[in-house]
Amino acid sequence: MRSFYHFLMTYRGKKNPDEKSRLADWAFADHYFPKHAMEYDEISSYLEYNSPFPTAVTVFDELWDIYRIDEHESR
């Protein structure tokens, strides 16, 4: 199972950025982002204290749902 960060990087580098790609680009540049985390609470807590934009936690929740489905189907 890949980490959430690894999943998130699939949203990185869009020519017309949306909030999902903004979060991915920010996580890529943030040296302290929990890159190996696969637990919701660890990443959510990090974002609550280090949110790069006002809706980042909401975007994370949306992406987390996609991540869970994607990783479950790949097993």
Side-chain angles (χ1 to χ4, degrees), residues 9-50:
M9 291 300 101
T10 64
Y11 288 86
R12 194 173 153 254
K14 289 188 177 180
K15 288 187 179 193
N16 296 314
D18 58 16
E19 288 191 323
K20 291 174 183 166
S21 65
R22 284 179 59 206
L23 184 61
D25 291 336
W26 171 80
F28 178 77
D30 181 2
H31 298 290
Y32 298 105
F33 187 88
K35 292 179 172 62
H36 299 289
M38 291 189 285
E39 298 295 325
Y40 175 88
D41 290 336
E42 182 178 355
I43 302 164
S44 179
S45 293
Y46 183 81
L47 286 173
E48 285 179 24
Y49 291 104
N50 300 287

Side-chain angles (χ1 to χ4, degrees), residues 4 7 11 20 40 57-73:
F4 177 79
F7 162 80
Y11 288 86
K20 291 174 183 166
Y40 175 88
V57 174
T58 303
V59 173
F60 163 67
D61 286 340
E62 293 171 16
L63 285 168
W64 183 261
D65 289 340
I66 298 167
Y67 168 69
R68 284 185 31 218
I69 292 167
D70 191 49
E71 289 304 306
H72 181 70
E73 288 178 357

